[in-house]
Amino acid sequence: MKYKIIISNLLISLPLSLSIMNISQAETTTVNKLLDSYKSQGVISANAKQGEILWKKKFKNTGEFSSRSCTTCHTNNLTQTGKHIKTNKTIKPMSPAVTPERLTKVKKINKWFKRNCKWTIGRECTAQEKANILSYIENKSTF
Amino acid sequence: MKGTLAISSIVFTIGILTLPTVWGDNDFKWSEIENYRIKSSDVAAVTDPVYKEECGSCHMAYPPGFLPARSWSLVMSGLEDHFGDNAELDTETVQVINQYLLSNSADKSDYRRSKKFNRSIKSGNTPIRISEVHYFKHKHDEIPQRMVSGNPQVKSFSQCNACHKKAEQGDFNEHNVNIPGFGQWDD
């Protein structure tokens, strides 16, 4: 008799939990791939708090826009719509919870890291910095 | 009476006999008339999906028919400092985009506006700003600053689609111009 209860419970909870896990599969796999590559470059752990600090930090620049930060275009809130500082083009929120396609393509993430770190900080971000930022955007510390 | 009838029927017969030749004339196509109408009025719309995606991620993907090939080459070789922004791309993507731009540039296009753009650029010049091309300036010289640079919804002449509502279809006809905050452009 007890077994019936256990089995019927599993029949409901297993597919439910598997499908919930599947929904977040996409961005987790992409981020995990990248984190693995950072691990091979010596990164031990990703820190979302450090990622947030870097994201909000202001950097001086001699070009147009003398003070630059990730928040310049992406705003202070990952769930908010941003705007390109020069062209006004709207930028969908960075948070995957709001914009599901965020953090799903390795190529795209690499492209924007290269461009935007160079424009904001003046150099490419280190593997540790990238790990921290990804962790912050994903809203958790991943390993 | 009979004579008239005979003559007219011969004329008609000859006329009908020549019909297949005229009808079956492969040189005549309605689509060519439509093509001629389009080419004689504007610029080719952006079609390449890679170009549209990559070069339309911060601003409207500009029609390649607005600048000559040498200008596009110059832009594509300086993506690290693209008008103050970093627009770097991987080698493969650069090649694909170059291919598209260089084969559809203003000096290769037979679209009317492309030809006008091209003709207004001296052969020794290589402009990289579409808005600095003489033909462009001439077409926009009556628009007051308050409607563009002084207008927060437009900001700059580089935001074509802010006012040209059909820009993404390659239609820059002034009848489809609506300036945000000011309305339809009345020339």
Side-chain angles (χ1 to χ4, degrees), chain A residues 53-115:
Chain A
I53 291 170
L54 181 58
W55 187 263
K56 294 179 175 175
K57 189 172 175 185
K58 291 192 164 66
F59 294 91
K60 281 197 187 140
N61 197 288
T62 51
E64 199 184 352
F65 309 112
S66 53
S67 174
R68 299 178 183 192
S69 170
C70 305
T71 58
T72 306
C73 294
H74 292 292
T75 83
N76 261 309
N77 187 329
L78 291 177
T79 61
Q80 262 178 26
T81 300
K83 196 164 81 164
H84 191 283
I85 189 75
K86 203 161 174 182
T87 68
N88 266 357
K89 174 101 191 235
T90 47
I91 300 169
K92 291 185 195 163
M94 285 309 294
S95 168
V98 182
T99 313
E101 65 256 33
R102 288 296 186 201
L103 308 184
T104 56
K105 294 196 175 120
V106 171
K107 213 176 167 186
K108 194 170 179 181
I109 297 170
N110 285 336
K111 176 181 82 180
W112 287 110
F113 260 146
K114 185 174 192 179
R115 289 180 179 182

Side-chain angles (χ1 to χ4, degrees), chain B residues 20-91:
Chain B
T21 314
V22 173
W23 209 274
D25 186 347
N26 286 323
D27 291 339
F28 180 80
K29 283 190 174 94
W30 288 112
S31 58
E32 272 185 17
I33 289 180
E34 184 60 17
N35 274 342
Y36 177 76
R37 186 192 67 79
I38 295 166
K39 285 185 183 182
S40 66
S41 56
D42 235 307
V43 72
V46 173
T47 51
D48 189 281
V50 176
Y51 175 69
K52 210 170 191 178
E53 158 98 37
E54 300 295 351
C55 305
S57 54
C58 300
H59 55 62
M60 181 187 98
Y62 302 115
F66 279 162
L67 286 175
R70 61 187 186 280
S71 292
W72 288 122
S73 287
L74 195 52
V75 169
M76 290 301 289
S77 61
L79 292 177
E80 209 173 331
D81 182 3
H82 181 67
F83 301 98
D85 202 352
N86 186 313
E88 281 183 89
L89 288 163
D90 62 82
T91 326

Side-chain angles (χ1 to χ4, degrees), chain B residues 4-181:
Chain B
T4 323
L5 186 61
I7 292 167
S8 62
S9 54
I10 289 168
V11 171
F12 266 103
T13 312
I14 295 169
I16 293 167
L17 283 172
T18 59
L19 208 60
T21 314
V22 173
W23 209 274
D25 186 347
N26 286 323
D27 291 339
F28 180 80
K29 283 190 174 94
W30 288 112
S31 58
E32 272 185 17
I33 289 180
E34 184 60 17
N35 274 342
Y36 177 76
R37 186 192 67 79
I38 295 166
K39 285 185 183 182
S40 66
S41 56
D42 235 307
V43 72
V46 173
T47 51
D48 189 281
V50 176
Y51 175 69
K52 210 170 191 178
E53 158 98 37
E54 300 295 351
C55 305
S57 54
C58 300
H59 55 62
M60 181 187 98
Y62 302 115
F66 279 162
L67 286 175
R70 61 187 186 280
S71 292
W72 288 122
S73 287
L74 195 52
V75 169
M76 290 301 289
S77 61
L79 292 177
E80 209 173 331
D81 182 3
H82 181 67
F83 301 98
D85 202 352
N86 186 313
E88 281 183 89
L89 288 163
D90 62 82
T91 326
E92 252 180 69
T93 312
V94 168
Q95 268 171 12
V96 171
I97 292 174
N98 264 328
Q99 225 290 102
Y100 174 65
L101 287 172
L102 302 182
S103 33
N104 293 284
S105 56
D107 46 347
K108 309 251 171 56
S109 173
D110 52 1
Y111 277 71
R112 188 165 165 264
R113 236 188 261 283
S114 290
K115 286 184 183 166
K116 292 199 163 196
F117 264 94
N118 196 45
R119 264 184 239 138
S120 79
I121 303 169
K122 287 191 194 149
S123 58
N125 290 351
T126 309
I128 52 169
R129 281 184 196 275
I130 294 166
S131 55
E132 287 301 305
V133 175
H134 187 83
Y135 173 73
F136 181 100
K137 292 211 275 209
H138 167 70
K139 293 302 269 180
H140 293 81
D141 62 8
E142 285 177 17
I143 302 166
Q145 230 188 47
R146 69 177 196 282
M147 291 190 186
V148 183
S149 51
N151 185 344
Q153 290 181 82
V154 178
K155 274 172 108 172
S156 151
F157 277 120
S158 61
Q159 310 307 312
C160 316
N161 52 341
C163 303
H164 286 277
K165 300 306 177 186
K166 291 193 170 183
E168 276 158 65
Q169 288 112 280
D171 179 352
F172 288 82
N173 190 294
E174 68 177 297
H175 295 114
N176 295 316
V177 170
N178 191 310
I179 303 175

